[in-house]
Amino acid sequence: MALEINNLHVAVDGIEIIKGVTLRFEPGKVYALMGPNGSGKSTLAQALTGHPKYKVTAGKIILDGKDITAEKPDIRAKGGLFLSFQYPAEISGVTISNFIRAAVNARRSEPLSVLDFHKLLQHKMAELKMDSSFSKRYVNAGFSGGEKKRAEILQLIMLQPRYAFLDETDSGLDVDAIKIVAEGINALRKKTSMTIIVITHYQRFLDYLEPDTVSIMGGGKIIASGGKELIQQIDEEGFEDLVEETP
Ligand code: ADP
Ligand code: MG
């Protein structure tokens, strides 16, 4: 069991953005994906979940032994891939509760009853210290940055995907909210074998999460990987040295 990316190349509008990335994500582990702006982190995540704009031009994506390189996004989602959005869109007229219920039921053979779903949702919201009225609001309409991110984490906790990419889920969160979100993720990590891949710039978020592996992207490639010590190094020295070392 693993999500494997083998020598992946991805083009957007005919321009190659990802230039040969090989990574392996194992169950129950937390990975940090870092790198300067424009290095291709979001592009890689989008390509993995099958966004049609992101064309795989070479290489393979293997999900638990199955080649999903050419599969549609819904097949990938059913296989357990989840991507949070760096810039979540507003969906007017759909409440958070209905949105999450549709997403949860789409992945089940038997839908949860409305009552059971609401019990579960309220329980999870309480754990995340969210007000129970939050789920009645329309998806992302008039949300603060922090509220959008909390809604994402709620979605993650309700869906429990096998492999979750959190693209700058920490951005726009204040110190307290970062801690709550990180604690939510850590609780999931203890209870499930979910693989979590966080794309982030913030050391504080990573301090709470303690990733098993850190990979650094630069210019559409992986330019360094290692353990937690890499985060400290980047915090002190920036990405510059790493980026310059690559030919
Ligand atoms: P990161 O998430 O690491 O900041 P991105 O994956 O967003 O980087 O972007 C990588 C590169 O791809 C950038 O040079 C960006 O301009 C380009 N890019 C990303 N998305 C698109 C798009 N939809 N159309 C054209 N170029 C894009
Ligand atoms: Mg990005």
Side-chain angles (χ1 to χ4, degrees), residues 1-6 25 48-49 60-69 71-82 161-165 195:
M1 291 292 187
L3 172 63
E4 298 167 76
I5 306 168
N6 294 329
F25 302 111
L48 293 179
T49 48
K60 278 191 167 49
I61 307 165
I62 313 285
L63 177 62
D64 298 333
K66 186 170 172 245
D67 186 344
I68 58 154
T69 318
E71 294 289 4
K72 293 257 183 311
D74 61 319
I75 302 288
R76 300 179 192 214
K78 278 204 170 128
L81 272 184
F82 172 92
R162 311 261 305 286
Y163 302 93
F165 285 80
T195 306

Short mmCIF file of all heavy atoms in Angstrom, two decimals, residues 1-6 25 48-49 60-69 71-82 161-165 195:
data_model
loop_
_atom_site.label_atom_id
_atom_site.label_comp_id
_atom_site.label_asym_id
_atom_site.label_seq_id
_atom_site.Cartn_x
_atom_site.Cartn_y
_atom_site.Cartn_z
N MET A 1 0.84 -1.20 0.00
CA MET A 1 0.00 0.00 0.00
C MET A 1 0.88 1.25 0.00
O MET A 1 1.71 1.42 0.88
CB MET A 1 -0.88 0.02 1.26
CG MET A 1 -1.95 -1.04 1.27
SD MET A 1 -3.19 -0.69 0.00
CE MET A 1 -4.38 -1.95 0.39
N ALA A 2 0.66 2.10 -0.97
CA ALA A 2 1.39 3.37 -1.04
C ALA A 2 0.87 4.17 -2.23
O ALA A 2 0.24 3.61 -3.13
CB ALA A 2 2.89 3.15 -1.21
N LEU A 3 1.11 5.46 -2.17
CA LEU A 3 0.89 6.30 -3.34
C LEU A 3 2.27 6.59 -3.91
O LEU A 3 3.12 7.15 -3.22
CB LEU A 3 0.18 7.59 -2.93
CG LEU A 3 0.04 8.66 -4.02
CD1 LEU A 3 -0.82 8.17 -5.18
CD2 LEU A 3 -0.56 9.94 -3.44
N GLU A 4 2.47 6.14 -5.14
CA GLU A 4 3.79 6.29 -5.75
C GLU A 4 3.71 7.18 -6.98
O GLU A 4 2.81 7.06 -7.80
CB GLU A 4 4.32 4.92 -6.18
CG GLU A 4 4.50 3.96 -5.04
CD GLU A 4 4.71 2.54 -5.55
OE1 GLU A 4 5.81 2.25 -6.02
OE2 GLU A 4 3.74 1.75 -5.51
N ILE A 5 4.69 8.04 -7.08
CA ILE A 5 4.80 8.92 -8.24
C ILE A 5 6.14 8.60 -8.87
O ILE A 5 7.18 8.73 -8.22
CB ILE A 5 4.78 10.40 -7.80
CG1 ILE A 5 3.54 10.68 -6.95
CG2 ILE A 5 4.83 11.32 -8.99
CD1 ILE A 5 3.61 12.02 -6.25
N ASN A 6 6.09 8.14 -10.12
CA ASN A 6 7.33 7.75 -10.77
C ASN A 6 7.66 8.64 -11.95
O ASN A 6 6.92 8.68 -12.93
CB ASN A 6 7.23 6.29 -11.27
CG ASN A 6 7.12 5.32 -10.11
OD1 ASN A 6 7.65 5.58 -9.02
ND2 ASN A 6 6.39 4.23 -10.32
N PHE A 25 4.57 7.84 -0.95
CA PHE A 25 3.88 8.20 0.29
C PHE A 25 3.28 6.93 0.90
O PHE A 25 2.49 6.25 0.26
CB PHE A 25 2.77 9.21 0.00
CG PHE A 25 3.27 10.48 -0.66
CD1 PHE A 25 2.95 10.77 -1.97
CD2 PHE A 25 4.06 11.38 0.05
CE1 PHE A 25 3.41 11.94 -2.58
CE2 PHE A 25 4.51 12.55 -0.55
CZ PHE A 25 4.19 12.84 -1.86
N LEU A 48 -2.05 15.08 -9.34
CA LEU A 48 -2.29 13.79 -8.68
C LEU A 48 -3.78 13.50 -8.53
O LEU A 48 -4.22 12.37 -8.64
CB LEU A 48 -1.62 13.75 -7.31
CG LEU A 48 -0.09 13.77 -7.35
CD1 LEU A 48 0.47 13.75 -5.96
CD2 LEU A 48 0.43 12.59 -8.16
N THR A 49 -4.56 14.56 -8.27
CA THR A 49 -5.99 14.33 -8.10
C THR A 49 -6.74 14.36 -9.43
O THR A 49 -7.94 14.16 -9.47
CB THR A 49 -6.60 15.34 -7.10
OG1 THR A 49 -6.17 16.64 -7.45
CG2 THR A 49 -6.18 15.04 -5.70
N LYS A 60 4.29 7.97 -14.16
CA LYS A 60 3.12 7.23 -13.69
C LYS A 60 2.73 7.62 -12.27
O LYS A 60 3.58 8.01 -11.47
CB LYS A 60 3.45 5.73 -13.68
CG LYS A 60 3.30 5.05 -15.03
CD LYS A 60 3.39 3.55 -14.83
CE LYS A 60 2.95 2.76 -16.04
NZ LYS A 60 3.54 3.20 -17.31
N ILE A 61 1.44 7.49 -11.99
CA ILE A 61 0.93 7.64 -10.62
C ILE A 61 0.32 6.28 -10.25
O ILE A 61 -0.60 5.80 -10.93
CB ILE A 61 -0.17 8.73 -10.52
CG1 ILE A 61 0.33 10.05 -11.12
CG2 ILE A 61 -0.61 8.91 -9.08
CD1 ILE A 61 -0.78 11.06 -11.39
N ILE A 62 0.83 5.68 -9.19
CA ILE A 62 0.36 4.36 -8.77
C ILE A 62 -0.28 4.50 -7.39
O ILE A 62 0.38 4.92 -6.44
CB ILE A 62 1.52 3.34 -8.68
CG1 ILE A 62 2.42 3.39 -9.94
CG2 ILE A 62 1.00 1.94 -8.40
CD1 ILE A 62 1.86 2.75 -11.16
N LEU A 63 -1.58 4.14 -7.30
CA LEU A 63 -2.30 4.23 -6.03
C LEU A 63 -2.57 2.80 -5.54
O LEU A 63 -3.34 2.07 -6.17
CB LEU A 63 -3.60 5.00 -6.24
CG LEU A 63 -4.57 5.17 -5.07
CD1 LEU A 63 -3.94 5.93 -3.92
CD2 LEU A 63 -5.84 5.87 -5.52
N ASP A 64 -1.93 2.43 -4.47
CA ASP A 64 -2.06 1.08 -3.91
C ASP A 64 -1.92 0.00 -4.99
O ASP A 64 -2.75 -0.91 -5.10
CB ASP A 64 -3.39 0.93 -3.17
CG ASP A 64 -3.48 1.90 -1.98
OD1 ASP A 64 -2.43 2.26 -1.43
OD2 ASP A 64 -4.60 2.29 -1.62
N GLY A 65 -0.90 0.16 -5.79
CA GLY A 65 -0.58 -0.85 -6.80
C GLY A 65 -1.31 -0.69 -8.13
O GLY A 65 -1.01 -1.39 -9.09
N LYS A 66 -2.28 0.25 -8.17
CA LYS A 66 -3.06 0.42 -9.39
C LYS A 66 -2.61 1.69 -10.12
O LYS A 66 -2.47 2.75 -9.50
CB LYS A 66 -4.54 0.53 -9.00
CG LYS A 66 -5.49 0.56 -10.15
CD LYS A 66 -6.94 0.42 -9.66
CE LYS A 66 -7.90 0.65 -10.82
NZ LYS A 66 -8.75 1.82 -10.68
N ASP A 67 -2.37 1.55 -11.41
CA ASP A 67 -1.96 2.71 -12.21
C ASP A 67 -3.18 3.62 -12.43
O ASP A 67 -4.12 3.25 -13.11
CB ASP A 67 -1.39 2.22 -13.55
CG ASP A 67 -0.82 3.37 -14.37
OD1 ASP A 67 -1.11 4.54 -14.07
OD2 ASP A 67 -0.08 3.08 -15.32
N ILE A 68 -3.16 4.81 -11.84
CA ILE A 68 -4.30 5.73 -11.98
C ILE A 68 -3.94 6.94 -12.84
O ILE A 68 -4.67 7.93 -12.85
CB ILE A 68 -4.83 6.20 -10.60
CG1 ILE A 68 -3.72 6.89 -9.80
CG2 ILE A 68 -5.46 5.06 -9.81
CD1 ILE A 68 -4.25 7.89 -8.79
N THR A 69 -2.82 6.86 -13.54
CA THR A 69 -2.33 8.01 -14.30
C THR A 69 -3.39 8.59 -15.24
O THR A 69 -3.47 9.79 -15.44
CB THR A 69 -1.07 7.63 -15.11
OG1 THR A 69 -0.23 6.82 -14.29
CG2 THR A 69 -0.31 8.86 -15.58
N GLU A 71 -6.78 7.90 -14.91
CA GLU A 71 -8.13 7.82 -14.32
C GLU A 71 -8.73 9.21 -14.08
O GLU A 71 -8.03 10.17 -13.83
CB GLU A 71 -8.10 7.06 -12.99
CG GLU A 71 -7.74 5.59 -13.09
CD GLU A 71 -8.83 4.73 -13.73
OE1 GLU A 71 -9.86 5.28 -14.16
OE2 GLU A 71 -8.62 3.51 -13.78
N LYS A 72 -10.06 9.26 -14.09
CA LYS A 72 -10.80 10.50 -13.83
C LYS A 72 -10.74 10.84 -12.33
O LYS A 72 -10.56 9.95 -11.50
CB LYS A 72 -12.27 10.31 -14.23
CG LYS A 72 -12.49 10.13 -15.72
CD LYS A 72 -13.01 11.44 -16.31
CE LYS A 72 -13.33 11.38 -17.78
NZ LYS A 72 -12.30 10.81 -18.62
N PRO A 73 -10.93 12.12 -12.00
CA PRO A 73 -10.85 12.54 -10.59
C PRO A 73 -11.75 11.75 -9.65
O PRO A 73 -11.36 11.45 -8.52
CB PRO A 73 -11.28 14.01 -10.63
CG PRO A 73 -10.93 14.47 -11.99
CD PRO A 73 -11.12 13.28 -12.90
N ASP A 74 -12.98 11.39 -10.08
CA ASP A 74 -13.88 10.70 -9.15
C ASP A 74 -13.38 9.30 -8.79
O ASP A 74 -13.55 8.83 -7.68
CB ASP A 74 -15.32 10.66 -9.68
CG ASP A 74 -15.44 9.92 -11.00
OD1 ASP A 74 -14.55 10.10 -11.86
OD2 ASP A 74 -16.40 9.17 -11.17
N ILE A 75 -12.71 8.64 -9.75
CA ILE A 75 -12.13 7.32 -9.47
C ILE A 75 -10.99 7.47 -8.46
O ILE A 75 -10.85 6.67 -7.52
CB ILE A 75 -11.57 6.68 -10.77
CG1 ILE A 75 -12.66 6.54 -11.82
CG2 ILE A 75 -10.89 5.34 -10.47
CD1 ILE A 75 -13.69 5.48 -11.54
N ARG A 76 -10.22 8.52 -8.62
CA ARG A 76 -9.11 8.76 -7.69
C ARG A 76 -9.65 9.08 -6.30
O ARG A 76 -9.09 8.63 -5.30
CB ARG A 76 -8.26 9.93 -8.18
CG ARG A 76 -7.68 9.66 -9.56
CD ARG A 76 -6.86 10.85 -10.01
NE ARG A 76 -6.54 10.72 -11.43
CZ ARG A 76 -5.42 11.15 -11.98
NH1 ARG A 76 -4.49 11.72 -11.24
NH2 ARG A 76 -5.20 10.99 -13.26
N ALA A 77 -10.72 9.87 -6.25
CA ALA A 77 -11.31 10.22 -4.95
C ALA A 77 -11.86 8.97 -4.26
O ALA A 77 -11.67 8.77 -3.07
CB ALA A 77 -12.41 11.25 -5.13
N LYS A 78 -12.51 8.10 -5.05
CA LYS A 78 -13.01 6.84 -4.47
C LYS A 78 -11.86 5.98 -3.99
O LYS A 78 -11.99 5.24 -3.02
CB LYS A 78 -13.86 6.08 -5.49
CG LYS A 78 -15.28 6.62 -5.53
CD LYS A 78 -16.26 5.58 -6.05
CE LYS A 78 -17.69 6.06 -5.84
NZ LYS A 78 -18.52 6.03 -7.01
N GLY A 79 -10.73 6.07 -4.66
CA GLY A 79 -9.54 5.33 -4.24
C GLY A 79 -8.89 5.94 -3.01
O GLY A 79 -7.93 5.39 -2.47
N GLY A 80 -9.40 7.11 -2.57
CA GLY A 80 -8.93 7.66 -1.31
C GLY A 80 -8.03 8.87 -1.40
O GLY A 80 -7.42 9.27 -0.42
N LEU A 81 -7.96 9.50 -2.59
CA LEU A 81 -7.15 10.72 -2.71
C LEU A 81 -7.99 11.95 -2.39
O LEU A 81 -9.12 12.06 -2.82
CB LEU A 81 -6.64 10.86 -4.15
CG LEU A 81 -5.33 10.19 -4.52
CD1 LEU A 81 -4.97 10.54 -5.95
CD2 LEU A 81 -4.22 10.58 -3.59
N PHE A 82 -7.41 12.86 -1.67
CA PHE A 82 -8.11 14.09 -1.28
C PHE A 82 -7.15 15.26 -1.41
O PHE A 82 -6.01 15.18 -0.99
CB PHE A 82 -8.57 13.97 0.17
CG PHE A 82 -9.14 15.24 0.76
CD1 PHE A 82 -10.50 15.50 0.71
CD2 PHE A 82 -8.31 16.17 1.39
CE1 PHE A 82 -11.03 16.67 1.26
CE2 PHE A 82 -8.83 17.33 1.95
CZ PHE A 82 -10.19 17.58 1.88
N PRO A 161 -10.04 10.38 3.98
CA PRO A 161 -9.41 9.79 2.80
C PRO A 161 -8.15 9.02 3.20
O PRO A 161 -7.70 9.10 4.34
CB PRO A 161 -9.03 11.02 1.97
CG PRO A 161 -8.82 12.09 2.99
CD PRO A 161 -9.82 11.82 4.08
N ARG A 162 -7.62 8.27 2.27
CA ARG A 162 -6.39 7.50 2.57
C ARG A 162 -5.16 8.37 2.41
O ARG A 162 -4.19 8.24 3.15
CB ARG A 162 -6.31 6.32 1.62
CG ARG A 162 -7.62 5.51 1.55
CD ARG A 162 -7.55 4.32 2.41
NE ARG A 162 -6.38 3.56 2.04
CZ ARG A 162 -6.32 2.84 0.93
NH1 ARG A 162 -7.35 2.76 0.12
NH2 ARG A 162 -5.24 2.19 0.65
N TYR A 163 -5.19 9.25 1.41
CA TYR A 163 -4.05 10.13 1.15
C TYR A 163 -4.57 11.56 1.00
O TYR A 163 -5.32 11.86 0.08
CB TYR A 163 -3.34 9.72 -0.15
CG TYR A 163 -2.85 8.29 -0.13
CD1 TYR A 163 -3.64 7.26 -0.63
CD2 TYR A 163 -1.61 7.98 0.39
CE1 TYR A 163 -3.20 5.95 -0.60
CE2 TYR A 163 -1.15 6.67 0.43
CZ TYR A 163 -1.96 5.66 -0.07
OH TYR A 163 -1.52 4.36 -0.04
N ALA A 164 -4.19 12.42 1.93
CA ALA A 164 -4.70 13.80 1.92
C ALA A 164 -3.59 14.79 1.65
O ALA A 164 -2.56 14.78 2.33
CB ALA A 164 -5.36 14.10 3.26
N PHE A 165 -3.81 15.61 0.65
CA PHE A 165 -2.88 16.72 0.36
C PHE A 165 -3.49 18.00 0.91
O PHE A 165 -4.59 18.37 0.53
CB PHE A 165 -2.68 16.88 -1.15
CG PHE A 165 -1.80 15.83 -1.75
CD1 PHE A 165 -2.31 14.58 -2.05
CD2 PHE A 165 -0.47 16.09 -2.00
CE1 PHE A 165 -1.50 13.60 -2.59
CE2 PHE A 165 0.36 15.11 -2.54
CZ PHE A 165 -0.15 13.86 -2.83
N THR A 195 -2.56 8.97 5.25
CA THR A 195 -1.29 9.60 4.89
C THR A 195 -1.57 11.08 4.68
O THR A 195 -2.52 11.43 3.98
CB THR A 195 -0.77 9.01 3.57
OG1 THR A 195 -0.71 7.61 3.70
CG2 THR A 195 0.60 9.57 3.21
#
